[in-house]
Amino acid sequence: MEDLILMLQSTPTILGSASAGDPYLPASGNGGYTVEHYDLELDYRVATNRLTAIATITARALTGLGRFSLDLAGLSVDRVTVNGVAPVKTVHAARKLVLTPAVPLTAGDRFEVVVRYRGAPHPVRSHWGELGWEELTDGVLVAGQPSGAPSWFPCNDHPSDKATFRIQLCCEAPYTVVSNGPLVAKSSRSGRTTWTFEVREPMAAYLASVQIGRYRRQDVTATPVAYSLFYPPALARPVAVDFARLGEMIAVFSEAFGPYPFPAFSVIVTADELEIPLEAHGLAVFGRNHVDGLHGSDRLIAHELAHQWFGNSLTLTRWADIWLHEGFACYAEWIWAEASGGPSAHANAVLHRAELDLLPKNLVVADPGPHDMFDDRVYKRGALALHAVRQAIGDEAFFTALRAYSRTHRHGSVTTDDLLGCFEVASGTRVAEKIIARWVAGKSLPQVGTA
């Protein structure tokens, strides 16, 4: 690494790219540097949706930089410094904050950017609807996947650039704030409360989140990890029923995939109805319509929990590999059903393969394209690919490989090749490569083998 930095230092100062180069989100992310830490100080007024904030970003230059950019959308920038000095030029247009530092950065330099900004945060528009900071009837929800993080803080918005975070938010005292990582401080003054959270594991910007509402908190000490439930008091009974087996679910997945990757897990149930549940780093968020007191959402709970391993700890390197998140989360639904006395994983595989056979066979899971990256066929074919590998190499090798995959790449970035390497080591064969190619890289629909 030192030799690489010395080599880069000898190259001319260049302009950092205003894109991470991912064709699925060509306007997202930025080149020339990597972020190491975000420190966010947020002062928010729920009643008026007004945000005043300071973001302190610690980063490292990957090459000489005469100019670089950050992603930030829909908010006004008041002041910026780079290493304590105002840039010679600051341009904030569309979703990019472009900075020309007074002193060009050298490859390997650590540098600090402080951005003071404000405004009325709102979601950003995308192929997949509105993403990011969203007002609820009485509170806030943040759902950043895949490109909504710039709706509330300046960032390098690509999943391959993971960083640690400190998130501090002050708002009206009646509200509870939930964010990523452990709550490390809480104080109240003049009718307002400040909540401070720390994320010590590297986290992609899109997984950063804050949830604000009039929630009751219930802490559950469970094995293998403690968890907390946040919900409107009126939903106490159905929440208690529907999440009663969450500790058992965490235990099943910890056995299958390896230890739960974060210090704790939090579930938020909003007072509003939501179209779909969502996950963030250490969190899962459900709408009031997802709790019925009859375990009607067990499949969804399993899916969002599984993303803590596959998506949040192990995060894709490029968006084309979205099956590495969604295929695993879908297969986890089948694993939980089997472990909890429901249909076997094989029975679910047969059922969903038959359903897929009725749909168009014009999608390549390994590269579905940005418009179809969240198509249900990506989820189900990805899960079927994993089940086919399990059938071929047996349970012992299959789950040994999954635990090795989770352990080796913990809190890192992954590709399909990383997964295939773990299957090859665990099974002693390359059969998984052929199976994954049939299910993920082709359009035709293979058959499900016998159990």
Side-chain angles (χ1 to χ4, degrees), residues 179-407:
S179 188
N180 315 98
L183 176 67
V184 297
K186 178 185 174 184
S187 61
S188 296
R189 183 179 179 182
S190 302
R192 295 176 62 77
T193 301
T194 300
W195 310 70
T196 305
F197 304 83
E198 289 187 357
V199 179
R200 299 180 178 93
E201 312 86 14
M203 175 174 74
Y206 84 87
L207 291 168
S209 182
V210 291
Q211 311 292 325
I212 304 173
R214 298 178 187 268
Y215 297 130
R216 175 182 294 173
R217 174 174 180 163
Q218 179 184 352
D219 295 322
V220 180
T221 302
T223 302
V225 66
Y227 61 90
S228 299
L229 305 174
F230 297 85
Y231 52 88
L235 297 179
R237 190 197 67 78
V239 166
V241 173
D242 289 348
F243 292 95
R245 301 189 71 180
L246 181 56
E248 182 183 347
M249 192 180 289
I250 296 172
V252 168
F253 290 170
S254 296
E255 173 64 25
F257 309 142
Y260 178 78
F262 306 121
F265 181 58
S266 294
V267 168
I268 301 96
V269 180
T270 68
D272 291 36
E273 293 190 358
L274 302 180
E275 182 179 355
I276 57 172
L278 58 102
E279 98 287 344
H281 182 108
L283 309 175
V285 184
F286 301 84
R288 66 178 302 123
N289 51 311
H290 298 129
V291 295
D292 57 9
L294 300 171
H295 289 281
S297 292
D298 281 9
R299 178 185 68 82
L300 300 176
I301 295 169
H303 186 102
E304 304 308 333
L305 173 62
H307 274 311
Q308 303 306 318
W309 285 264
F310 307 110
N312 302 355
S313 175
L314 279 64
T315 308
L316 49 74
T317 301
R318 58 182 194 132
W319 283 111
D321 277 330
I322 188 65
W323 86 272
L324 292 174
H325 293 187
E326 302 302 348
F328 269 101
C330 182
Y331 196 59
E333 299 173 23
W334 304 354
I335 289 174
W336 170 247
E338 186 172 78
S340 59
S344 68
H346 187 72
N348 263 312
V350 171
L351 171 65
H352 290 292
R353 196 272 174 200
E355 292 176 347
L356 284 174
D357 204 24
L358 303 176
L359 300 176
K361 301 172 184 64
N362 58 356
L363 180 143
V364 175
V365 174
D367 190 7
H371 291 278
D372 292 326
M373 61 190 284
F374 298 112
D375 189 294
D376 193 54
R377 290 170 294 175
V378 173
Y379 295 51
K380 298 302 191 298
R381 283 188 65 129
L384 286 164
L386 294 170
H387 186 68
V389 173
R390 180 181 177 184
Q391 287 185 296
I393 67 176
D395 278 12
E396 182 176 356
F398 179 76
F399 288 108
T400 295
L402 295 195
R403 290 188 289 269
Y405 178 55
S406 294
R407 180 180 65 252

Side-chain angles (χ1 to χ4, degrees), residues 160-180:
S160 62
D161 195 27
K162 303 178 75 171
T164 57
F165 279 71
R166 175 181 174 270
I167 301 172
Q168 177 181 290
L169 189 143
C170 180
C171 70
E172 296 91 329
Y175 294 92
T176 295
V177 176
V178 189
S179 188
N180 315 98

